[in-house]
Amino acid sequence: MSRNQTLFDAAQRHIPGGVNSPVRAFGSVGGTPRFFERGEGAYVWDADGKRYIDYVGSWGPLILGHAHPAVIEAVEKALRNGLSFGAPTAAEVDLADLLCALLPSMDQVRLVSSGTEATMSAIRLARGYTGRDKLVKFEGCYHGHADSLLVKAGSGLLTFGNPSSAGVPAAVAADTLVLPYNDVAALEQLFAEQGDQIAAIIVEPIAGNMNLVQATPEFVAAMRGLTERHGALLIYDEVMTGFRVGLQCAQGLHGIRPDLTCLGKVVGGGMPLAAFGGRADIMAKLAPLGPVYQAGTLSGNPIAVAAGLATLAEIAKPGFFEQLSDNTRALTEGLTAAACAAHVPFSAQAVGGMFGIYFCAQLPHSYADVMASDRTRFNTFFHAMLSEGVYLAPSAFEAGFVSARHEQTDLETTFVATKQALSRI
Ligand code: HOZ
């Protein structure tokens, strides 16, 4: 028996489903999750010693690849001074300054430990600031696992075919208004009817939890215009897109200023660190300045801050995103060409270091479009790629990620694997 299987069997004894986060269980693709022992650059090695080209990158944080020397050095240096103080440190001031310098929409920022904490806190802050309860989110967008956000959500919920979670009180869910992504008319109608009760829109500006779906310019303009007109806030959940699609994140690409922004993944360089921030008058409502409470023992943890600062220093170097974007685009173009040659209905797109692949001929614009893609084909493809040594996200509903350490040879190996895999579906 493979060591991955032995470990998975053992894991299920004391860990629900054998995993500490549901998508890892291979629930929608079937088979045995890989237990990883090591990562270096673009590669990971599983418990059986098999090497994979990794297009998951810990679900996005590892934009510099695994074990980047500058990040490891910064972490080792910080480690020697102690793991946590539960008190302010100079490095977290540096990180806050840097984030506010990089994002024109951000006057102030608070560091937290996970993307879920960031979105949950931003929503509480939006409600506290506006004095309103209702929240607008979009079908297939995933904003972490806080109660009010687990309504028609993406990511792991979709792998089990159920976009909403049990255990969310009906009264809480009732304040979450869910609309189709990219549907301007539905958004206008909702604001016309209930605009004075809406605290905020929260959106993944480039959705990465129902595979990758881009917001149209019309949709972005409608979200900004309607929130402004109705006194609601616009929250950009850039946990996935932040410093992944560009140095000014998705909001830089869209050319707009959200009122609040949530960051995670890349900002922590692979360590548990996230952030939310925005306009000074809104952030002033946060404790200890204002009445909206939010706290965390490990918030601004010095080791995580060191990893985040080291990562941001690397990605801020001239040409970084040009190179990463070129590589990611070359990947999606190569995959598309292979699928075309194999006469398999397929489409793909890339934004910065993030990509989506779909077993359908047209790029999706909504949750419904993504659900219409051929998931059976994806599952067969996923396993064929895995056996060829290419690790894709184990779900048709997750975006993929390329790191700065993926080289031309890795792409070429991926294309050869793709050809093999497509011949089996
Ligand atoms: N929320 C992540 C995918 N969008 C999954 C995280 C994990 O399983 O580690």
Side-chain angles (χ1 to χ4, degrees):
M1 190 190 283
S2 83
R3 192 162 147 69
N4 288 304
Q5 186 61 52
T6 306
L7 284 169
F8 191 42
D9 292 343
Q12 290 173 77
R13 273 200 305 272
H14 296 300
I15 302 175
V19 291
N20 284 309
S21 191
V23 201
R24 300 176 194 180
F26 277 32
S28 65
V29 293
T32 309
R34 298 305 187 260
F35 282 63
F36 290 122
E37 291 192 335
R38 191 164 78 83
E40 194 184 323
Y43 310 120
V44 281
W45 285 261
D46 74 8
D48 288 309
K50 183 173 164 97
R51 192 189 85 164
Y52 303 85
I53 301 173
D54 180 17
Y55 290 109
V56 179
S58 188
W59 301 96
L62 301 183
I63 196 164
L64 301 177
H66 292 269
H68 188 278
V71 180
I72 297 298
E73 191 188 329
V75 165
E76 281 175 351
K77 200 167 158 213
L79 280 173
R80 284 192 282 273
N81 292 329
L83 298 182
S84 176
F85 305 109
T89 63
E92 69 190 5
V93 181
D94 293 342
L95 182 54
D97 288 351
L98 179 58
L99 295 177
C100 293
L102 289 173
L103 295 179
S105 70
M106 200 173 269
D107 300 324
Q108 293 216 311
V109 62
R110 167 104 2 128
L111 303 183
V112 293
S113 300
S114 73
T116 290
E117 251 190 282
T119 53
M120 180 186 87
S121 308
I123 285 160
R124 185 180 306 138
L125 180 57
R127 286 176 163 152
Y129 176 83
T130 58
R132 301 172 181 179
D133 289 341
K134 292 199 190 299
L135 175 73
V136 179
K137 79 172 281 291
F138 301 99
E139 255 180 338
C141 283
Y142 175 76
H143 305 286
H145 57 92
D147 278 355
S148 55
L149 294 164
L150 285 184
V151 187
K152 294 204 177 169
S155 191
L157 292 103
L158 296 183
T159 66
F160 303 108
N162 182 6
S164 301
S165 171
V168 175
V172 173
D175 279 332
T176 303
L177 311 172
V178 186
L179 294 178
Y181 197 78
N182 275 330
D183 190 334
V184 173
L187 193 60
E188 285 173 344
Q189 189 183 336
L190 180 69
F191 269 85
E193 289 165 5
Q194 304 187 48
D196 60 345
Q197 299 165 55
I198 294 170
I201 291 178
I202 186 164
V203 64
E204 287 185 80
I206 298 165
N209 286 286
M210 50 171 160
N211 207 320
L212 190 155
V213 179
Q214 297 204 53
T216 62
E218 298 75 26
F219 186 55
V220 169
M223 289 190 291
R224 184 62 288 183
L226 287 165
T227 46
E228 269 171 8
R229 278 202 293 288
H230 290 268
L233 302 186
L234 177 59
I235 305 172
Y236 257 34
D237 175 353
E238 300 230 42
V239 168
M240 204 176 262
T241 51
F243 308 117
R244 167 54 75 177
V245 298
L247 197 54
Q248 272 74 42
C249 311
Q251 57 197 265
L253 301 182
H254 290 170
I256 69 149
R257 290 188 186 203
D259 301 300
L260 290 172
T261 298
C262 301
L263 298 167
K265 298 191 188 277
V266 172
V267 76
M271 296 291 287
L273 188 140
F276 66 100
R279 268 171 37 201
D281 62 321
I282 303 172
M283 294 302 284
K285 296 286 178 203
L286 207 56
L289 297 177
V292 178
Y293 199 71
Q294 180 278 331
T297 300
L298 294 174
S299 291
N301 173 267
I303 316 302
V305 167
L309 279 169
T311 299
L312 292 177
E314 292 296 318
I315 69 171
K317 289 181 177 166
F320 180 90
F321 275 101
E322 285 79 357
Q323 176 74 48
L324 183 68
S325 303
D326 286 351
N327 270 356
T328 312
R329 201 173 321 108
L331 174 71
T332 52
E333 285 172 2
L335 296 175
T336 307
C340 187
H343 305 291
V344 172
F346 182 91
S347 51
Q349 62 183 329
V351 192
M354 191 171 165
F355 66 91
I357 58 173
Y358 325 88
F359 282 91
C360 55
Q362 304 294 326
L363 292 177
H365 297 287
S366 67
Y367 170 76
D369 291 349
V370 172
M371 293 312 275
S373 70
D374 190 335
R375 280 170 278 149
T376 308
R377 261 196 165 142
F378 172 82
N379 291 354
T380 311
F381 180 70
F382 167 81
H383 280 291
M385 291 296 271
L386 202 59
S387 69
E388 295 292 328
V390 177
Y391 188 67
L392 298 169
S395 161
F397 309 115
E398 302 282 351
F401 301 99
V402 171
S403 81
R405 303 279 292 282
H406 286 78
E407 294 180 3
Q408 187 57 35
T409 51
D410 299 312
L411 301 192
E412 276 155 20
T413 306
T414 304
F415 300 148
V416 172
T418 303
K419 225 174 128 194
Q420 287 294 329
L422 288 170
S423 70
R424 285 187 236 162
I425 65 175

